[in-house]
Every structure is written in structure tokens, then in C-alpha cells.
Amino acid sequence: MTVMLGLNYTFVSEFILIGFSTFPHLQLMFFLLFLLMYLFTLLGNLLIMTTIWSEHSLHTPMYLFLCALSISEIFYTFAIIPRMLADLLSTLHSIAFLACASQMFFSFTFGFTHSFLLTVMGYDRYVAICHPLRYNVLMSPRGCACLVAWSWVGGSFMGTVVTTAIFNLTFCGPNEIHHFFCHVPPLLKLACGENVLEVAKGVGIVCITALLGCFLLILLSYTFIVVTILKIPSAEGRHKAFSTCASHLTVVVVHYGFASVIYLKPKGPKSLGGDTLMGITYTVLTPFLSPIIFSLRNKELKITMKKAFLNKLFPQNS
């Protein structure tokens, strides 16, 4: 829907999400696949959170951060996937202007909160391995709570900056977003006015700087961690030290690996369908893999989950 502003301009009051309509014969299959992945993502993160909350032995900074990460992941997927699933079954793909802005705000807020928490978790592993004697001082309960709070504040700030910049632009038609949610690049293609290029560059610089800054801090943490681990004389000691970082490092590789493919791949004139499919990697696939990685690669968490849940469900196996 558009409202006339003058002779040549209209104001867009709603958008049409094209999404997977370019794959009409695959929409039912996509719906079932993404629904199962979404439910598994919710279940996996809720299982992690419940295990950490219920087991006193897991009330440590590392698992506090993991719990916060699971919360941000649940909110991030909730901002995008339910709407996407509804559109896969519907013929009406319109989304109101304010609803589109809200979706962008929450997706960026929780997405960047996720990146900031991964950075904090890298710092936690650095302190645990490189400064074990000072760990309880540097990672006190109050200090950990502050790190989590600042991660959420930072995510909210990024969401506010990006959403305000994009939705202060003028959208004068057409109003078809070639994506399954309100994403920045396809929205910028619909904006008009002299400042679109400047806003696009500004948003790009802010987002890339934040993500690159997080990645470099994680890389710096692991540089010190690797140097410290290599100094451990016994192979068993080195393996034990590295095993505490394995799940976090795997999630970081997956998270930034998919992000680099998306943001660094060349943009082609006929890449609309490809962009939609690529968007699945960071909205559905990465959140789906994260709880699996943390559950399987973290030995302590895996043992505690088995003890807390499987033995209660199947007491004959205990």
C-alpha cells in the first residue's frame, strides 16, 4: 500500500516480502524443514538453559555466558522465523511499515548481542587459561553480570542505530522486499533520495566495524590461549585446556564463516533467489547448529544433561 506525497513520490505504508515465492514448488518442503529446525533450536537452547539453571555445578561464568547466549539466540530466531513460516503457508506476504522496522530492530539487537557474547566468552576462556590464579577476581559474579548487561546494551545500541538510519529514509515504491524478512540490503534498493548511498555506507561501516572488532578480539584471545597451551608440558594437560575452548571456538568459526560468505560474496544482478537461500544460513542454520555444538563438544554439559534428564526419563538405564 502506498500513499501519494506529491506528483512523483509516494509513501510506502507496507512492504511485500517476496521471500520464497520464487520457489513455489518447494515452499511446503521449506516450511516443514524450517519448522523442524526451529523447534529443535528452541528445544536445544531451552535444554541448555534448564540444565545450567538446575545444576549448581554449572553456576560458573562460562555457563552463565552460555545461558545468556541461548537466550539471545531464542529471541533472535523468534524475531524472524515464525513470520517466515507463516509466509510460507500464506498467499498474503505484506508486512506493515512499523512491523518491518520492529523486525529489523530486534534481529539486529539480538544478532549483535550474540556476537558480543561470543567475544565475552572468548575473554572468559583467555582469563581461565592464561590467568587461572586471578580468574575468580577478574570473572567475579558482578563482573560477569556487567559483561552480559553490556553485551545486551551494545546489541540494543546497534539495533537502534541501524533501524533508525534505514527507516528515516524515504521509500517511494516499489514496495517488494526480495527477502523473507526486513533485511538492510533489499530495503536500501527500495529507498529513494539523495542520501541513500551515504546511509548505506554509514550502516555498512558501523556493522562491519562492530563485527570485525568482535572477531579480532576473539582472535587475540585465542592467540594468547594457544601460546599458553603450547607451554603446558604434558599432552594430557594441553588436551584438557583446549577441550574447554573447543565448543566456543567451533561456534565462532561457524558464526563468522557463514557471515563472511554472505557479506564477502560478489553481488550479481540475478542473485535474488541466491540471496534468499544464503539468508537461511545465518537465520536458521547457524542457530540450529549452535546448541548441537555446545551440547556435543562440551563434555561437562553433555554429562550433566544425561544425568539430569536421560536418567530421569529412563531410570532402568542408570
Side-chain angles (χ1 to χ4, degrees):
M1 180 179 176
T2 57
V3 179
M4 297 300 296
L5 290 179
L7 192 60
N8 297 322
Y9 293 98
T10 56
F11 172 73
V12 173
S13 60
E14 66 178 19
F15 296 99
I16 307 297
L17 294 168
I18 300 300
F20 296 96
S21 58
T22 51
F23 310 98
H25 303 298
L26 298 175
Q27 286 189 209
L28 181 59
M29 185 193 75
F30 281 148
F31 172 81
L32 294 174
L33 176 62
F34 298 153
L35 176 62
L36 288 174
M37 293 177 73
Y38 178 54
L39 292 176
F40 187 89
T41 300
L42 291 180
L43 180 63
N45 282 301
L46 288 172
L47 186 60
I48 289 173
M49 291 162 55
T50 304
T51 303
I52 293 171
W53 286 342
S54 62
E55 295 298 317
H56 190 267
S57 63
L58 298 182
H59 293 179
T60 62
M62 180 172 69
Y63 292 106
L64 167 67
F65 297 139
L66 179 55
C67 191
L69 195 74
S70 292
I71 293 171
S72 73
E73 203 155 69
I74 287 174
F75 283 132
Y76 173 74
T77 54
F78 185 74
I80 298 172
I81 298 180
R83 170 80 202 202
M84 179 188 72
L85 292 173
D87 284 344
L88 281 168
L89 295 181
S90 172
T91 55
L92 299 174
H93 301 154
S94 62
I95 182 170
F97 188 88
L98 287 178
C100 189
S102 298
Q103 188 182 58
M104 179 178 287
F105 169 75
F106 288 118
S107 64
F108 269 89
T109 293
F110 300 125
F112 273 99
T113 298
H114 193 84
S115 294
F116 295 146
L117 286 171
L118 284 175
T119 307
V120 168
M121 291 173 77
Y123 173 70
D124 172 70
R125 292 299 83 205
Y126 158 74
V127 175
I129 293 173
C130 300
H131 302 284
L133 298 179
R134 300 178 62 199
Y135 184 79
N136 290 333
V137 176
L138 294 174
M139 303 303 295
S140 64
R142 182 177 179 181
C144 293
C146 286
L147 288 172
V148 171
W150 277 112
S151 296
W152 284 83
V153 169
S156 301
F157 173 77
M158 292 298 298
T160 301
V161 168
V162 173
T163 306
T164 302
I166 297 299
F167 283 90
N168 271 335
L169 293 171
T170 301
F171 297 94
C172 36
N175 66 338
E176 293 183 344
I177 300 175
H178 288 274
H179 216 286
F180 55 84
F181 76 104
C182 292
H183 195 36
V184 170
L187 269 169
L188 285 171
K189 293 178 182 178
L190 306 181
C192 55
E194 298 179 355
N195 62 334
V196 174
L197 187 59
E198 288 77 9
V199 169
K201 288 181 179 178
V203 168
I205 289 171
V206 169
C207 292
I208 291 173
T209 299
L211 288 173
L212 192 60
C214 289
F215 179 73
L216 290 176
L217 286 173
I218 293 172
L219 192 62
L220 183 63
S221 295
Y222 274 100
T223 300
F224 287 115
I225 288 170
V226 169
V227 170
T228 302
I229 288 176
L230 291 177
K231 293 179 181 178
I232 298 175
S234 67
E236 184 181 352
R238 290 194 296 270
H239 179 266
K240 185 177 179 181
F242 184 74
S243 64
T244 64
C245 308
S247 56
H248 174 255
L249 188 57
T250 306
V251 169
V252 168
V253 170
V254 170
H255 181 79
Y256 284 98
F258 283 136
S260 64
V261 170
I262 293 160
Y263 290 109
L264 299 180
K265 80 179 186 73
K267 301 292 181 182
K270 297 182 180 180
S271 63
L272 297 177
D275 288 345
T276 299
L277 292 177
M278 286 300 298
I280 292 301
T281 60
Y282 59 88
T283 56
V284 181
L285 185 57
T286 301
F288 171 76
L289 292 175
S290 184
I292 296 175
I293 293 168
F294 278 115
S295 299
L296 296 180
R297 299 288 296 175
N298 189 304
K299 185 177 180 181
E300 186 179 5
L301 183 62
K302 184 166 61 174
I303 291 172
T304 306
M305 280 184 175
K306 182 180 178 181
K307 188 193 305 179
F309 295 97
L310 294 184
N311 289 348
K312 291 179 182 178
L313 292 173
F314 308 103
Q316 68 274 16
N317 295 331
S318 54

